[in-house]
Amino acid sequence: MPLLQIRDLSVHYGAIQALHGVSVDVHEGEIVTLIGANGAGKSTTLRAISGLVKPSGGQILFDGRPLHGLPPHEIVRLGIAQAPEGRGIFSNLTVDENLEIGAYIRKDKDGIARDRTRALELFPRLAERLQQRAGTLSGGEQQMLAIARALLARPRLMLLDEPSLGLAPRIVQTIFAIIREINATGTTILLVEQNAHMALRAANRGYVIEVGRVVLSDDAKALADSDEVRRAYLGGH
Amino acid sequence: MTRLLQTLMDGVAVGSLYALIALGYTMVYGILKFINFAHGDVFMLGAWVSFTLAATLGFAGGAPPWFAAPLVLLGSMALCGLLGFTVERLAYRPLRNAPRINVLITAIGVSLFIENTGQLEPIGWLAERGLAFPFGTRPQRMPALLPDATLFEVVGVQVKLVDVLVIGIAFALMGLLQWLVFGTKLGRAMRAVSHDPKTAALMGIDVDRVISFTFVVGSVLAAAAGFLAAEKYPSLNQPAHSTWILLGLKAFVAAVVGGIGNVRGAMAGGLLIGMVELFGAAYLSPQLRDVYVFSLLIVVLLVKPEGLLGKATVEKV
Ligand SMILES: Nc1ncnc2c1ncn2[C@@H]1O[C@H](COP(=O)(O)OP(=O)(O)OP(=O)(O)O)[C@@H](O)[C@H]1O
Ligand SMILES: [Mg+2]
């Protein structure tokens, strides 16, 4: 049974239908990526998983359990953490306080301390800036903080929405290396990206979303080699 | 010299009361981005509930027992906290996704509701027992629960125990709030919600609970200010009297002057407003005390519109 099972998901924003029956599976231990153009419905899919938008149809099962009707703060407790689009760091709090908020749902002090140490080893640049207000971090550092913060919830499934957005190529490389490392230590990852090239290199499997529908899904390698994806998302090379 | 010291002490006392009320305005604004116009009425209720409790518990005549003041203070804080919780639940929560103007108008409605309910005369069972709740249309006199002794005298100024207690309790409560907001997990959650409620929910924070809690804390502080004000100035005007509205308004000015949404700003703003008002009244003209306050507001809005401690917000995209 997949860890996350999305069946026929539809989402409306008022009169606009953003998703038309999307189905996605994510198995334990995988990195799965959703790629697609602007406005395809990638973020909407993640918002629906986290409970930020209510589906108008279909089902989302996590570990076999329907998430329907649960508020966002309870879905986190089941083991799903999201680093949202635009990072959503708390710029009025310090870096350290942002990390503490990431562990908000946990009570195991020792475990939190261990995960904090580990997050700071993954992102040494954050370790140097713990007492700094998070709003003063650079874009890349803010993205690191968003991922580190999600890590502190000790999720079974991590949702990452465009972690490469607006970052210089070298920082993107670093971030993707760390995403793989997080996955290697047992966290399942659902990764939304416009940077299809990087995403398909990191992922095991991928789904291509166009105007609210899944139009292709396959092994990441096969997708990267397919003509459609190369033409539409990889600039034809 | 005598007058300077006396004015200074009164300024700090009045200012710390403004600060306590301003905190409620600023915290609710920080989280929901709307001005809770009914907050000044919670302050009025704090004073009137204190009076009612003191009267019904028989602390009105003679020397009250030592526990009268803490009992009445805590009772009033608890009842007003409950009121704040209820108002948020019934009036504001259903409007969580409504345009802000709707919430604002609702707040004015809540304010009028509280003021007018407060004027109902006691009836039936209540009247038979001589209970003062609802509070009626007449002014009342708050029994002195805090000892009115003179502690000591410096250069002709009598330092009264009641003043020292008012200032002491107000500062202790502000210290407690400072600790709550900046030193606890719940305070961190409040600050996170105030910055971005959606992302806060993604962190596992129950945003509705944090909002309820914020209303309770703000109301509890306003109630304490009501009690302390009634002890310092024991003649209570009737609930809908314009002095209450004016006091609430000046506390709101304090929140704006300090930087609305900023907890430390509300404390600083309250003290500043108290000082400006009382020094103006003592050294310029006592008739114009409200003018000084609102002139200060105008100056601050012109020179530093985000308030003394407010930050002109710059968001990184
Ligand atoms: N709050 C909203 N209200 C109305 N329409 C919305 C809202 N959010 C998204 N949409 C619409 O839903 C569709 C899908 O949006 P979504 O944010 O999921 O796209 P996306 O694939 O994440 O795009 P991008 O790569 O640009 O982030 C778009 O047409 C968008 O305009
Ligand atoms: Mg998106």
Side-chain angles (χ1 to χ4, degrees):
Chain A
M1 184 183 58
L3 180 62
L4 179 78
Q5 226 176 339
I6 303 177
R7 288 277 156 271
D8 255 344
L9 181 69
S10 295
V11 172
H12 285 78
Y13 292 107
I16 301 167
Q17 183 161 8
L19 295 183
H20 304 259
V22 165
S23 296
V24 170
D25 284 344
V26 181
H27 296 271
E28 187 113 45
E30 277 187 317
I31 299 182
V32 171
T33 184
L34 307 181
I35 56 180
N38 285 118
K42 309 180 295 292
S43 301
T44 301
T45 308
L46 296 196
R47 279 184 218 128
I49 299 170
S50 284
L52 289 175
V53 296
K54 301 282 162 252
S56 44
Q59 257 201 326
I60 304 173
L61 301 175
F62 182 64
D63 214 8
R65 173 182 175 172
L67 299 183
H68 187 81
L70 291 181
H73 63 93
E74 281 175 26
I75 291 176
V76 191
R77 282 169 202 272
L78 298 179
I80 304 179
Q82 177 172 172
E85 187 168 34
R87 300 156 198 148
I89 60 139
F90 300 108
S91 57
N92 56 334
L93 271 56
T94 65
V95 170
D96 208 11
E97 286 177 325
N98 268 273
L99 294 176
E100 283 166 351
I101 290 271
Y104 186 80
I105 54 171
R106 298 172 61 184
K107 296 227 155 45
D108 55 323
K109 282 215 168 63
D110 298 345
I112 296 173
R114 259 198 312 279
D115 286 347
R116 181 173 169 280
T117 309
R118 176 165 161 251
L120 294 177
E121 281 165 10
L122 285 174
F123 299 105
R125 288 169 74 158
L126 297 181
E128 297 156 18
R129 294 168 171 77
L130 281 175
Q131 299 314 319
Q132 196 171 321
R133 274 166 47 92
T136 64
L137 295 178
S138 76
E141 289 159 359
Q142 291 191 8
Q143 187 60 60
M144 295 176 186
L145 179 56
I147 297 175
R149 190 181 58 180
L151 204 54
L152 271 153
R154 184 177 271 267
R156 291 177 68 191
L157 174 65
M158 194 186 279
L159 312 176
L160 300 175
D161 198 343
E162 301 208 36
S164 76
L165 190 73
L167 303 185
R170 253 200 32 228
I171 307 283
V172 174
Q173 298 277 356
T174 312
I175 299 252
F176 270 87
I178 291 168
I179 291 172
R180 280 196 214 131
E181 204 171 322
I182 290 171
N183 174 251
T185 48
T187 308
T188 308
I189 290 174
L190 179 56
L191 168 69
V192 158
E193 262 301 340
Q194 285 204 43
N195 187 336
H197 180 66
M198 290 299 294
L200 290 173
R201 272 197 4 203
N204 305 101
R205 292 186 306 113
Y207 293 77
V208 179
I209 300 190
E210 275 173 19
V211 280
R213 291 187 173 81
V214 173
V215 292
L216 270 177
S217 66
D218 210 334
D219 282 348
K221 183 89 180 53
L223 276 183
D225 290 339
S226 78
D227 287 341
E228 295 102 310
V229 171
R230 291 174 65 159
R231 207 177 320 110
Y233 301 104
L234 297 175
H237 49 258
Chain B
M1 187 61 186
T2 306
R3 187 150 90 162
L4 179 76
L5 271 183
Q6 186 65 55
T7 312
L8 190 67
M9 213 168 72
D10 287 340
V12 173
V14 171
S16 55
L17 297 184
Y18 285 146
L20 283 182
I21 310 169
L23 283 167
Y25 281 113
T26 232
M27 285 194 300
V28 166
Y29 183 86
I31 286 200
L32 291 179
K33 305 288 177 284
F34 95 98
I35 309 296
N36 178 16
F37 275 113
H39 184 63
D41 299 286
V42 179
F43 161 68
M44 176 276 287
L45 275 185
W48 271 93
V49 169
S50 298
F51 165 74
T52 307
L53 286 175
T56 39
L57 295 175
F59 299 144
W66 66 269
F67 57 79
L71 189 68
V72 168
L73 172 63
L74 292 177
S76 172
M77 287 165 83
L79 287 172
C80 289
L82 190 66
L83 176 88
F85 177 83
T86 313
V87 164
E88 191 276 325
R89 217 34 193 271
L90 296 183
Y92 301 144
R93 188 171 298 183
L95 300 176
R96 197 57 51 79
N97 297 314
R100 218 161 297 156
I101 187 76
N102 300 21
V103 192
L104 209 65
I105 292 167
T106 305
I108 294 172
V110 170
S111 166
L112 291 173
F113 180 82
I114 295 178
E115 281 162 26
N116 288 293
T117 319
Q119 287 188 87
L120 290 174
E121 289 291 343
I123 43 162
W125 188 86
L126 286 172
E128 279 161 31
R129 274 165 191 68
L131 292 192
F133 186 90
F135 312 121
T137 51
R138 281 176 300 276
Q140 295 282 2
R141 193 166 180 83
M142 179 76 189
L145 303 181
L146 297 177
D148 194 27
T150 299
L151 269 188
F152 52 88
E153 216 181 287
V154 251
V155 289
V157 181
Q158 300 190 345
V159 177
K160 292 241 170 79
L161 189 55
V162 54
D163 283 329
V164 172
L165 284 174
V166 165
I167 295 172
I169 293 172
F171 273 76
L173 286 173
M174 284 190 266
L176 217 59
L177 184 82
Q178 166 84 14
W179 168 77
L180 173 76
V181 172
F182 295 99
T184 68
K185 187 170 168 176
L186 190 56
R188 214 151 43 226
M190 289 169 75
R191 285 180 290 141
V193 170
S194 118
H195 186 259
D196 178 353
K198 273 220 174 82
T199 307
L202 282 182
M203 303 295 119
I205 296 170
D206 184 342
V207 174
D208 279 336
R209 257 188 37 199
V210 169
I211 291 173
S212 283
F213 183 75
T214 306
F215 270 85
V216 170
V217 171
S219 304
V220 160
L221 293 178
F227 170 84
L228 295 173
E231 285 298 314
K232 187 162 167 54
Y233 302 106
S235 31
L236 298 187
N237 278 306
Q238 65 116 321
H241 196 276
S242 60
T243 49
W244 294 114
I245 297 168
L246 195 60
L247 285 170
L249 206 57
K250 283 194 239 171
F252 171 60
V253 168
V256 173
V257 163
I260 188 103
N262 184 310
V263 166
R264 289 167 182 144
M267 302 186 198
L271 287 171
L272 183 66
I273 292 285
M275 291 294 186
V276 165
E277 180 177 342
L278 290 195
F279 270 91
Y283 287 89
L284 299 170
S285 152
Q287 276 86 41
L288 295 179
R289 54 196 300 163
D290 302 334
V291 174
Y292 310 132
V293 170
F294 293 104
S295 310
L296 178 69
L297 173 67
I298 293 171
V299 171
V300 168
L301 288 181
L302 286 175
V303 178
K304 202 166 182 299
E306 69 275 14
L308 297 178
L309 298 187
K311 293 185 183 68
T313 36
V314 187
E315 300 279 291
K316 226 173 223 137
V317 188

